[in-house]
Amino acid sequence: MKNTKHIIVFILSIVITVLCVYKIVNLTNYNFVKTRAVNYLCDKYDADKDEFELVDYKHSRLVIEDFQELFDVLQWYDFSFEFKFKDKNFFVNRYKGRFYDDYQIDDIEMWCTDWLKENVDTNISGVFLDSKNIAYYQHNTRKSNKYIVNQKDAEDFILNCYSKKTPTVISYYEKNISEKDYSKERDYIKSIINTKIDSKKEFQIYITSNTHLKRLVGKSSDYEDYWATVYSSLYQ
């Protein structure tokens, strides 16, 4: 009986050790995580490994951050990768153990903008997006992280690409609007959107003199926790 208990304890200790080693490797080993990221991309886009060229990467790490300027806290930042696929650079980030990529973000932004122009108002410049909005959409609609967005998903994406507590931000082009009329114009556009889209989703309208959203790439300290491609009209 004692021998049986010793064997069980020994086996459990081996299993626990293996799991701990795997956890550490999965969190910190660049080659292991890169291989997993490439496998994810191959499965999602039905491509071979040699079709994905690694351009750059950010290693996982613990960062000391200020919490409301009261005390320091340790924050875990996971791996981010930049790959090139079919002559296009894009980012892959890992969040809570799952990989997400923004390879489609340019098409998605165009599809959403076209849908809004056709169904709401031709002066709409687009939807504020960054890489995490694709992950939000997949999560909010209970789709796999390997789901490939299609043009027919545009309305659904607009409604579900932000966290549930955050309004979708839509850019509206207005060249000569005064500060006095800003609020009135914003509320007018919101009313049109709520009429055209049968949803309780809240929208935030950003009125701008820019006819198109600008594409930005975030790999600076502003995006330490993840790398992002950003579409925004908040620029000069």
Side-chain angles (χ1 to χ4, degrees), residues 209-224:
S209 60
N210 300 312
T211 57
H212 300 285
L213 300 189
K214 188 172 183 179
R215 186 185 192 275
L216 305 170
V217 175
K219 292 172 63 176
S220 66
S221 58
D222 293 333
Y223 291 91
E224 287 181 347

Side-chain angles (χ1 to χ4, degrees), residues 2-58:
K2 287 184 178 180
N3 288 337
T4 302
K5 288 183 178 179
H6 286 316
I7 292 172
I8 293 174
V9 170
F10 177 71
I11 293 173
L12 285 174
S13 65
I14 291 177
V15 171
I16 292 171
T17 301
V18 170
L19 290 175
C20 288
V21 170
Y22 174 82
K23 185 71 173 178
I24 293 171
V25 170
N26 187 46
L27 287 173
T28 64
N29 187 276
Y30 157 72
N31 287 319
F32 182 78
V33 179
K34 176 199 168 187
T35 299
R36 289 193 61 204
V38 172
N39 288 339
Y40 152 81
L41 292 171
C42 290
D43 289 343
K44 181 173 181 177
Y45 295 107
D46 192 22
D48 295 327
K49 293 180 180 180
D50 57 7
E51 293 184 64
F52 297 97
E53 175 189 345
L54 180 68
V55 178
D56 196 5
Y57 76 96
K58 171 180 67 67

Side-chain angles (χ1 to χ4, degrees), residues 30-212:
Y30 157 72
N31 287 319
F32 182 78
V33 179
K34 176 199 168 187
T35 299
R36 289 193 61 204
V38 172
N39 288 339
Y40 152 81
L41 292 171
C42 290
D43 289 343
K44 181 173 181 177
Y45 295 107
D46 192 22
D48 295 327
K49 293 180 180 180
D50 57 7
E51 293 184 64
F52 297 97
E53 175 189 345
L54 180 68
V55 178
D56 196 5
Y57 76 96
K58 171 180 67 67
H59 204 287
S60 62
R61 65 205 186 280
L62 280 170
V63 177
I64 300 176
E65 292 188 338
D66 291 333
F67 179 74
Q68 298 181 352
E69 299 183 355
L70 296 176
F71 53 87
D72 293 335
V73 294
L74 283 175
Q75 180 71 41
W76 177 257
Y77 287 164
D78 212 329
F79 282 91
S80 293
F81 299 94
E82 183 179 6
F83 285 100
K84 187 175 184 179
F85 175 54
K86 295 183 177 178
D87 296 322
K88 180 178 179 180
N89 287 28
F90 66 102
F91 295 128
V92 176
N93 293 286
R94 186 169 65 169
Y95 179 67
K96 292 186 177 180
R98 301 182 73 187
F99 292 100
Y100 298 92
D101 71 275
D102 65 3
Y103 179 73
Q104 288 191 281
I105 193 168
D106 301 318
D107 288 335
I108 291 170
E109 196 280 329
M110 178 182 66
W111 294 335
C112 290
T113 301
D114 288 345
W115 189 91
L116 288 166
K117 285 179 177 291
E118 292 172 9
N119 294 276
V120 178
D121 192 288
T122 56
N123 276 7
I124 287 179
S125 308
V127 181
F128 282 39
L129 295 179
D130 81 11
S131 304
K132 70 176 180 292
N133 293 118
I134 299 174
Y136 274 133
Y137 173 68
Q138 292 166 338
H139 175 76
N140 291 339
T141 57
R142 298 184 179 182
K143 298 182 187 297
S144 165
N145 60 331
K146 297 177 184 177
Y147 178 76
I148 296 177
V149 181
N150 298 292
Q151 186 171 1
K152 62 181 177 60
D153 294 320
E155 180 182 5
D156 194 37
F157 192 92
I158 292 165
L159 292 173
N160 294 289
C161 68
Y162 279 73
S163 65
K164 293 183 179 180
K165 295 182 180 180
T166 307
T168 300
V169 183
I170 293 177
S171 179
Y172 181 80
Y173 168 68
E174 182 62 74
K175 187 175 182 180
N176 296 313
I177 191 167
S178 66
E179 290 186 15
K180 182 179 67 174
D181 295 329
Y182 181 92
S183 180
K184 184 192 300 183
E185 187 76 6
R186 183 184 58 199
D187 291 341
Y188 169 69
I189 297 301
K190 284 177 68 174
S191 69
I192 293 178
I193 292 174
N194 290 328
T195 300
K196 298 288 185 178
I197 300 177
D198 185 17
S199 171
K200 294 181 179 180
K201 174 70 180 179
E202 287 194 26
F203 296 93
Q204 178 180 331
I205 308 302
Y206 185 82
I207 298 180
T208 175
S209 60
N210 300 312
T211 57
H212 300 285

